[in-house]
Amino acid sequence: MDSATPASPVRKRGRPTEAGRVERRGQILDAALPVFLEYGFGKATVDRIAAAARVTKRTIYTYFGDKDGVFTEMQRRLAANVSGEPLRTETLESLAARIVYGLHSAQMIGLHRLVIAESLRFPELARRLHDNGDMRHIARLADHIRAEHGQAAAAHAEQLYALLLGEDYRRRLLGLLEPVTAAEAAVHARSALAVIQLTTASPLSGAASAAGAPST
Amino acid sequence: MDSATPASPVRKRGRPTEAGRVERRGQILDAALPVFLEYGFGKATVDRIAAAARVTKRTIYTYFGDKDGVFTEMQRRLAANVSGEPLRTETLESLAARIVYGLHSAQMIGLHRLVIAESLRFPELARRLHDNGDMRHIARLADHIRAEHGQAAAAHAEQLYALLLGEDYRRRLLGLLEPVTAAEAAVHARSALAVIQLTTASPLSGAASAAGAPST
DNA sequence: GTAGAATGAAACTAATTCGTATCATTAAAA
DNA sequence: TTTTAATGATACGAATTAGTTTCATTCTAC
């Protein structure tokens, strides 16, 4: 989180070009992310963010107004990246493995930890993370389940998602587990699909809608 | 979180009895919990805790040394309460419903949110929460599954636990969902048991160990 | 009874940190 | 060329807050 900025050795002073302004803005947000992830919102000082971005505090306040502004803008930028474009040729199994791998990554865990911690102070931030991240994942899982196992089975997409996260996801949030490799993620995904009877080998029959459907 | 302390109208000053000291200690920790839950560790000031406990800052520092001391002692006290004694006459279904209801409660969600937020600063606090809370739940689920569905099915206790928490648990952490009622928890639990084929109606056959077992 | 421990009340210290201001400097704009 | 916006560097103000100290007080311990 420190050696990732070998960019400009010495920064020029005067008025920057318009392109320079755009670049600097992104530079600040990119630098703010790891700082927030490491320290959390409260302990992440503006001075530290400024140092990481190789920019003075003054510039940060010019661009974002205050610390909250940096935080929300950073999250807004992340939300745009989270929604990766769907790969056309993808099976349910490979999609599940990708989700597991991505959600257990250090960056995602850090972001989730941060958003959970500040969910009371920044409720719409939590809303964005859930809508743009989780709900899209669930919808995409539902699409694949529907294609491979029929309409009835698609109702279990959310439960499948919960299984893909699993207790390991919570262990990651609690700092009790290291990030998983892609291979481990694939194994985990297969195990989840198997227990919910969504492997391609044994598709779900018609007796899917068991107990009361989740009301939420 | 404020009208819950109509205790002593006016506190005496002088030296307290030994019993009084024990009581005051608990009083401080009890008052600290809701303050930490509401504000988080960073924004929970010692002054606020002192006010909530009807005690002066001075007393808090005498008892706990510093703010971290209050925090860790509070969590240590909670850990003792989390492990509720097992009810002898309980089915897997009722146990599952109890777990769902308890983990979605406002107090538990607040505690988890807090521990997740501070897991980097207080790693052993996260460890305690996981060992004394989650792992005991999983073990108890495994016991019931073993009794009702055989040894092979018990391997899925952790996956069942993940389903019992579900996406709703994460929505609770993110502040996007209100606590569930006991009835809703029961429905949720039945749905989880059904999807994992652990309802008493249709017990799991021998074809349980599907893909690679979780490696964690 | 007396000494001293523990507390309330409240002021105080020291450190942190958000946000602003000053001054020099560079380059875009006019 | 002149003007001006934006920046670096740095100092500063104001607010918050962890932790300490002082003084009076009241009760336990002996």
Side-chain angles (χ1 to χ4, degrees):
Chain A
M1 303 235 182
D2 195 41
S3 59
T5 51
S8 54
V10 177
R11 176 172 303 285
K12 302 275 189 69
R13 284 205 173 185
R15 181 174 184 172
T17 70
E18 191 56 33
R21 281 186 59 81
V22 174
E23 179 194 349
R24 189 159 303 181
R25 180 188 164 86
Q27 183 179 354
I28 293 170
L29 294 180
D30 287 345
L33 175 60
V35 174
F36 279 126
L37 292 189
E38 181 171 358
Y39 294 96
F41 182 82
K43 297 234 159 236
T45 68
V46 179
D47 281 317
R48 213 186 298 268
I49 295 172
R54 308 254 192 184
V55 161
T56 57
K57 233 185 345 179
R58 162 80 171 265
T59 302
I60 290 182
Y61 282 102
T62 301
Y63 277 77
F64 302 102
D66 59 4
K67 193 176 165 186
D68 288 13
V70 180
F71 194 53
T72 57
E73 283 304 307
M74 181 201 74
Q75 203 275 344
R76 194 188 305 275
R77 159 179 266 220
L78 276 183
N81 301 357
V82 165
S83 59
E85 66 292 338
L87 309 179
R88 251 168 292 112
T89 63
E90 187 166 49
T91 65
L92 174 58
E93 189 170 313
S94 68
L95 171 62
R98 270 208 310 133
I99 288 177
V100 172
Y101 183 70
L103 289 179
H104 286 71
S105 71
Q107 178 159 324
M108 264 302 166
I109 288 296
L111 177 64
H112 284 205
R113 191 182 285 146
L114 187 56
V115 173
I116 288 169
E118 302 299 333
S119 62
L120 298 182
R121 278 165 45 83
F122 299 93
E124 63 177 83
L125 197 144
R127 168 60 64 187
R128 270 206 294 269
L129 182 72
H130 184 252
D131 288 351
N132 297 335
D134 301 314
M135 291 312 289
R136 290 195 190 186
H137 281 317
I138 292 172
R140 199 167 297 171
L141 285 171
D143 289 343
H144 276 77
I145 295 173
R146 192 176 302 112
E148 298 185 17
H149 299 91
Q151 178 66 36
H156 296 106
E158 188 170 304
Q159 288 173 313
L160 172 59
Y161 190 64
L163 280 172
L164 291 178
L165 291 171
E167 183 66 7
D168 278 355
Y169 167 78
R170 297 187 61 248
R171 293 193 181 99
R172 291 279 296 132
L173 283 183
L174 291 171
L176 303 176
L177 186 68
E178 294 301 304
V180 298
T181 66
E184 290 169 339
V187 170
H188 183 90
R190 272 200 299 277
S191 178
L193 288 167
V195 80
I196 209 172
Q197 307 247 317
L198 286 178
T199 53
T200 53
S202 60
L204 197 60
S205 66
S209 58
S215 57
T216 59
Chain B
M1 299 237 184
D2 195 42
S3 59
T5 52
S8 53
V10 176
R11 176 170 304 284
K12 304 275 189 69
R13 282 205 175 185
R15 179 177 185 172
T17 69
E18 190 57 30
R21 283 185 57 81
V22 174
E23 179 194 349
R24 188 158 303 181
R25 180 188 165 86
Q27 183 179 355
I28 294 171
L29 294 180
D30 287 345
L33 174 60
V35 174
F36 279 126
L37 292 189
E38 181 171 356
Y39 294 95
F41 182 82
K43 297 237 159 230
T45 67
V46 179
D47 281 317
R48 213 187 296 268
I49 295 172
R54 309 255 193 183
V55 161
T56 57
K57 235 183 344 179
R58 162 80 173 267
T59 304
I60 290 182
Y61 282 103
T62 301
Y63 276 77
F64 302 101
D66 59 5
K67 195 177 165 186
D68 288 13
V70 180
F71 194 55
T72 56
E73 283 305 307
M74 182 201 73
Q75 202 276 346
R76 195 187 304 275
R77 159 178 267 223
L78 276 183
N81 301 357
V82 165
S83 59
E85 65 293 340
L87 308 179
R88 251 167 291 112
T89 63
E90 186 165 51
T91 64
L92 173 59
E93 190 171 312
S94 68
L95 170 63
R98 271 209 308 133
I99 288 177
V100 172
Y101 182 70
L103 288 180
H104 285 71
S105 71
Q107 179 159 324
M108 262 304 166
I109 289 295
L111 177 63
H112 284 203
R113 192 182 286 145
L114 187 56
V115 173
I116 288 169
E118 302 299 332
S119 62
L120 298 182
R121 278 166 44 83
F122 299 92
E124 63 176 85
L125 197 145
R127 168 59 64 187
R128 270 205 295 268
L129 182 72
H130 184 254
D131 288 351
N132 298 335
D134 302 313
M135 291 313 288
R136 289 196 191 185
H137 282 315
I138 292 171
R140 200 167 296 170
L141 284 171
D143 288 343
H144 276 77
I145 295 174
R146 191 177 302 112
E148 298 186 18
H149 299 89
Q151 177 67 35
H156 295 107
E158 187 170 303
Q159 288 173 314
L160 172 59
Y161 189 64
L163 280 172
L164 291 178
L165 290 171
E167 185 64 8
D168 277 355
Y169 167 79
R170 297 188 59 247
R171 293 193 181 99
R172 292 280 295 131
L173 283 183
L174 291 170
L176 303 175
L177 187 67
E178 295 300 304
V180 299
T181 67
E184 291 169 339
V187 170
H188 183 90
R190 273 200 299 276
S191 178
L193 288 166
V195 80
I196 208 171
Q197 307 246 318
L198 287 178
T199 54
T200 52
S202 61
L204 196 61
S205 65
S209 57
S215 58
T216 63

